[in-house]
Amino acid sequence: MTVPWRCCAGQEGIAVILRGNLIWTSPSGGLEVRRRAYLAADGEKVAGVWDALPPEYAGQPVEDWGEAVIIPAFCDLHIHAPQFPNRGVGYGLQLLDWLEGYTFPMEARFGDAGFAEKVWKAFLNRLWAGGTLRFSAFATVHSQATWRLMELAEASGLRGLVGKVNMDRNSPDSLREDTGRSLADTEELVCRAREELKHTGFILTPRFVPSTTERLMDGLGLLGEKYDLPVQSHLAENPSEVAWVRQLHPDVPGYAQVYERHGLLRRGRTIMAHCIYLLPEERALLKEREVTLAHCPASNADLASGIMPLRQYLAEGQRCCVASDVAGGHTAAMNRNAAAAAALSRLRWLDRREESPLTLAEALWLITGGPGSFLGRVGAFEPGYAFDALVIRPVPGDDLTDLSPEERLEQFLYDGDDRSIAARYCAGAPVEKPFSE
Ligand code: GUN
Ligand code: FE
């Protein structure tokens, strides 16, 4: 391949221009493939895609990546940073026992600032390595550790939303918060993030209904209104969890309506993970509230939770994305999570022929433009969208047959890893590995 020109990002008057096999899913759903085309940045945004470089770019340096495939960088809208050390562990258990046995004991360790520092850096390095350059993460109940994750995210060059977890019932003593304190700590972090950080935002993060009292949910709903905040939580992941919510809130028609009652389904600003076991009224409510439903296929298989009816949700016009849910899911690698979503969609199709499996265009959309639309104009090579890109090329020695760019993308989704990602760009600039080991 052609040796790339040195990048001139950040230099006045010089835009990043990439050349290669550009592939993305357009917001209207089609797979766009532009062979050996040019992709140029205008500051943080995409200026355009061209087969021949327009005259105004004459003389500008071009990074020519030869036959490499260039795709939008990945977004993961549901991941638990403190659970990163636990990925792949404890999957003999289902959700509620796994939380008690593995997750809560791990999260309780984040009162230790030294441990938190080590995990946060490893977590951000792993997102970077896998090409996830935008994310929404749960931290823990600990204010200090949450703030440190926000600071490190800001320094990393990635763009993230981070939430302090709120939990004040049905939780171990090591994590259960005083309600008033939980709200005060949350508000303090919201204000501090606004004052001190530019690229890292705060997202309200009630853990899930069983671990948050109505008073806490009410208070968080009010903070959401006061500061116009996004919200993330879990919804209808596991049958025992759903039954527990029914028992805790017998007067409410469904799990989603509990969040709604407390002002936590903020229109267009809410991410709900899993959404496997929803009643028709809940589906209508989520659609009306423009909630983003985060499908976590690896997690749902790892914890034997079930399979989300993703095809039905897409058909009824729900906003959907694929997310990793580490450590409910075993990997933060979004290519593999997209492949897992495609695999589960084919298993559902075996029993329900009306639910067609995911296409390559859809699988790519669900980890780029789908989650990207929650964050703004992100995840597609369209003018005005954020200039976020990954350069994908075969690992030397693994390139054993002639494949089209589309086939190489498909192979990367299933079996690629960070050895194949030759360069990463976020908001118009290259991003290097954030932290040394
Ligand atoms: N429900 C409540 N907390 C959690 C969590 O940490 N992970 C998953 N997968 N589900 C949850
Ligand atoms: Fe989760």
Side-chain angles (χ1 to χ4, degrees):
M1 71 163 266
T2 318
V3 177
W5 289 81
R6 278 320 310 147
C7 178
C8 300
Q11 261 178 257
E12 198 114 347
I14 299 184
V16 177
I17 306 169
L18 308 181
R19 188 176 188 199
N21 291 313
L22 307 179
I23 305 184
W24 74 100
T25 305
S26 80
S28 56
L31 192 70
E32 303 282 342
V33 183
R34 301 284 292 270
R35 289 186 177 225
R36 298 286 297 132
Y38 296 86
L39 171 69
D42 173 10
E44 296 194 353
K45 305 237 163 75
V46 171
V49 168
W50 302 278
D51 294 325
L53 204 56
E56 63 264 33
Y57 291 98
Q60 301 256 23
V62 172
E63 287 187 59
D64 192 334
W65 291 98
E67 288 300 323
V69 168
I70 303 178
I71 59 175
F74 302 141
C75 307
D76 187 351
L77 292 188
H78 186 76
I79 184 161
H80 298 262
Q83 297 175 26
F84 184 66
N86 269 352
R87 65 204 183 285
V89 176
Y91 298 154
L93 300 176
Q94 283 191 275
L95 177 67
L96 300 176
D97 293 329
W98 172 80
L99 286 173
E100 290 284 336
Y102 289 91
T103 307
F104 294 157
M106 174 56 71
E107 292 192 12
R109 297 181 62 184
F110 285 74
D112 173 347
F115 182 68
E117 183 85 5
K118 212 163 79 175
V119 174
W120 296 157
K121 287 181 173 168
F123 168 76
L124 292 162
N125 274 346
R126 173 56 27 205
L127 292 190
W128 172 86
T132 300
L133 305 185
R134 299 190 190 242
F135 63 91
S136 184
F138 282 51
T140 65
V141 294
H142 309 90
S143 256
Q144 205 192 334
T146 302
W147 176 250
R148 187 63 187 143
L149 175 57
M150 297 188 85
E151 282 185 323
L152 291 169
E154 182 82 2
S156 70
L158 277 53
R159 304 271 170 124
L161 295 170
V162 173
K164 186 201 104 61
V165 172
N166 305 99
M167 44 201 296
D168 69 341
R169 67 171 170 178
N170 299 315
S171 314
D173 292 346
S174 54
L175 293 173
R176 193 172 50 252
E177 301 177 285
D178 168 76
T179 309
R181 179 84 201 269
S182 180
L183 290 168
D185 285 353
T186 302
E187 187 163 12
E188 196 182 316
L189 284 167
V190 170
C191 296
R192 194 165 178 197
R194 288 198 172 184
E195 279 165 24
E196 298 182 32
L197 307 177
K198 208 164 146 209
H199 299 306
T200 310
F202 189 89
I203 180 163
L204 289 173
T205 307
R207 174 163 224 122
F208 68 159
V209 165
S211 61
T212 43
T213 61
E214 297 200 56
R215 218 183 111 222
L216 181 53
M217 287 190 275
D218 272 338
L220 293 172
L222 291 172
L223 284 180
E225 276 299 301
K226 182 172 173 187
Y227 296 100
D228 190 20
L229 295 169
V231 182
Q232 61 182 352
S233 196
H234 297 93
L235 175 61
E237 174 177 3
N238 165 290
S240 306
E241 170 213 16
V242 173
W244 194 12
V245 171
R246 207 150 284 156
Q247 200 188 329
L248 290 166
H249 298 272
D251 54 323
V252 185
Y255 192 159
Q257 287 89 339
V258 180
Y259 290 122
E260 163 71 0
R261 258 190 203 193
H262 300 287
L264 291 169
L265 295 184
R266 308 205 65 243
R267 188 185 302 281
R269 308 293 312 280
T270 305
I271 304 160
M272 283 289 158
H274 306 295
C275 299
I276 301 174
Y277 303 102
L278 296 178
L279 301 166
E281 309 81 68
E282 294 181 280
R283 288 158 71 152
L285 174 61
L286 295 173
K287 183 168 178 207
E288 196 269 319
R289 288 280 184 253
E290 300 169 16
V291 171
T292 295
L293 315 186
H295 174 36
C296 305
S299 170
N300 298 159
D302 290 335
L303 296 177
S305 297
I307 306 181
M308 180 208 245
L310 177 61
R311 174 57 68 203
Q312 294 178 26
Y313 293 167
L314 290 171
E316 69 193 32
Q318 303 279 6
R319 296 172 183 220
C320 297
C321 67
V322 163
S324 72
D325 191 32
V326 160
H330 59 275
T331 178
M334 292 306 289
N335 57 315
R336 293 184 181 239
N337 280 290
L344 289 194
S345 79
R346 287 191 291 271
L347 292 180
R348 265 189 85 91
W349 168 79
L350 283 176
D351 293 335
R352 303 170 186 82
R353 291 294 165 132
E354 70 286 2
E355 295 189 23
S356 57
L358 289 180
T359 63
L360 178 62
E362 288 174 318
L364 180 62
W365 175 256
L366 288 163
I367 55 173
T368 55
S373 55
F374 179 81
L375 302 169
R377 285 159 72 77
V378 172
F381 295 150
E382 308 278 340
Y385 273 61
F387 186 101
D388 291 3
L390 304 177
V391 177
I392 310 293
R393 25 171 214 204
V395 173
D398 278 2
D399 196 11
L400 301 170
T401 184
D402 282 339
L403 297 176
S404 68
E406 297 92 312
E407 288 167 334
R408 284 208 273 126
L409 170 61
E410 188 178 7
Q411 188 170 66
F412 172 73
L413 291 185
Y414 280 91
D415 194 37
D417 57 49
D418 33 296
R419 290 171 305 157
S420 290
I421 308 180
R424 300 154 181 83
Y425 303 84
C426 185
V431 194
E432 302 304 330
K433 183 177 177 181
F435 306 105
S436 51
E437 308 299 340

